[in-house]
Amino acid sequence: MKRCFAQSVLACAMIMGLAGCTSTPPAAVTSDTGKTNSGKPPITKFKAYTQRFSGETLLTQSHATGHVGNVFFTHWKDGGEASLKLDEQGNFTINWIGGNYNYVGGPGWEHGDKNRVIGYHLNEDSGASYVTLYGWGYNKEMDHQDPAHLVEYYIIQRWVRTPAQGGEQGITFVSNGVEYTTYRTVRKEKPSINNTATFYQYWSKPKEQMPLGVDHKIIFADHAKAWEQNGWKLPDLNNFDASDDPTYQVFAVEVFLVEKSGTASGRVWDASK
């Protein structure tokens, strides 16, 4: 389910200014006109992504994207009450009240990487629809009538709603000791990182839900390989070609049509090295 972050944040920025669209202290908004702490040039195409916060940051507004330190985040909801608290070490807490709306948010990276290994430790999950690695791939050179030019992917870790309903089942494989089954679904003329589009969703669902309270690794290359064995190739994971968002990759908590309020908390890090 695509949430079109950049357009919404820009609209908010036009009305209130970026500072007015961000959270209250202890977060601080700093200028991002020079190089970032990592030495990489700043992102300039998508104005929403130039927001940079320092220290523990609480986000309660409807739409926000940016970085806390060097940790990228997304935070989006179409109603209701949900918040994301994030610090520069990737520690996060997401709270939601009720669930008759759609929320998605969490920490990660502003682009995907097939060789990335994602480490995470989940302390708490009191009923999110999905806890998942989530992201996009996009190839502007492909025929846009072909759903394969744009892919939204999910590597599910925990769930209360059955993912990939009605989808095409692919292979079953083992990654890092966990058995996953692959699925593919199609979204027709739905919001995406590149306007309204028809695109594929690729899914990996584990046989059993991942337990709380222990460290886990998601070896992204294993999932990309499994999808490709089905003939489901990922387009470019590291570009700024789309109209609304870059091809980000985040460890996301998604809430929609759940029965009760809840919390998910933990930490995310790059375990590639």
Side-chain angles (χ1 to χ4, degrees), residues 18-243:
L18 283 177
C21 215
T22 56
S23 61
T24 56
V29 182
T30 59
S31 173
D32 194 26
T33 57
K35 289 187 176 181
T36 66
N37 293 336
S38 63
K40 294 187 297 184
I43 301 169
T44 57
K45 178 178 178 181
F46 305 105
K47 297 301 183 183
Y49 290 84
T50 65
Q51 297 182 99
R52 191 169 292 274
F53 304 85
S54 60
E56 186 176 84
T57 301
L58 177 65
L59 301 150
T60 60
Q61 63 272 34
S62 295
H63 312 282
T65 53
H67 294 78
V68 175
N70 288 320
V71 179
F72 175 80
F73 68 86
T74 56
H75 167 78
W76 180 96
K77 57 188 175 184
D78 62 6
E81 295 183 44
S83 64
L84 166 63
K85 184 185 289 185
L86 178 64
D87 70 16
E88 297 184 24
Q89 288 72 50
N91 296 292
F92 71 92
T93 300
I94 293 170
N95 290 299
W96 64 91
I97 298 176
N100 192 24
Y101 55 94
N102 190 198
Y103 170 80
V104 64
W109 300 265
E110 67 263 21
H111 65 85
D113 185 341
K114 282 189 178 181
N115 295 317
R116 183 174 288 136
V117 178
I118 297 87
Y120 77 89
H121 183 107
L122 203 60
N123 299 318
E124 186 177 8
D125 168 30
S126 50
S129 301
Y130 303 141
V131 177
T132 180
L133 186 71
Y134 171 76
W136 290 86
Y138 174 61
N139 186 342
K140 69 176 180 179
E141 304 299 331
M142 289 181 64
D143 181 0
H144 284 204
Q145 300 302 310
D146 182 349
H149 84 284
L150 179 63
V151 171
E152 181 183 37
Y153 59 83
Y154 292 80
I155 301 177
I156 300 292
Q157 301 296 287
R158 296 177 62 85
W159 64 94
V160 297
R161 297 187 61 84
T162 302
Q165 294 185 52
E168 171 188 1
Q169 184 171 327
I171 69 167
T172 295
F173 69 103
V174 175
S175 175
N176 198 39
V178 178
E179 181 179 304
Y180 289 90
T181 300
T182 56
Y183 300 87
R184 184 175 70 172
T185 52
V186 63
R187 298 275 285 169
K188 295 183 178 180
E189 292 301 306
K190 298 298 183 181
S192 76
I193 62 169
N194 194 52
N195 295 317
T196 300
T198 295
F199 55 90
Y200 281 130
Q201 295 173 315
Y202 298 168
W203 305 77
S204 293
K205 178 188 174 186
K207 184 177 180 179
E208 298 179 352
Q209 308 221 26
M210 296 297 99
L212 302 174
V214 295
D215 291 355
H216 297 283
K217 288 183 179 180
I218 300 172
I219 303 173
F220 189 70
D222 291 348
H223 297 268
K225 180 180 178 181
W227 294 331
E228 289 179 0
Q229 286 179 315
N230 296 321
W232 310 340
K233 293 186 177 181
L234 281 169
D236 189 0
L237 300 175
N238 184 6
N239 67 68
F240 295 93
D241 296 329
S243 62

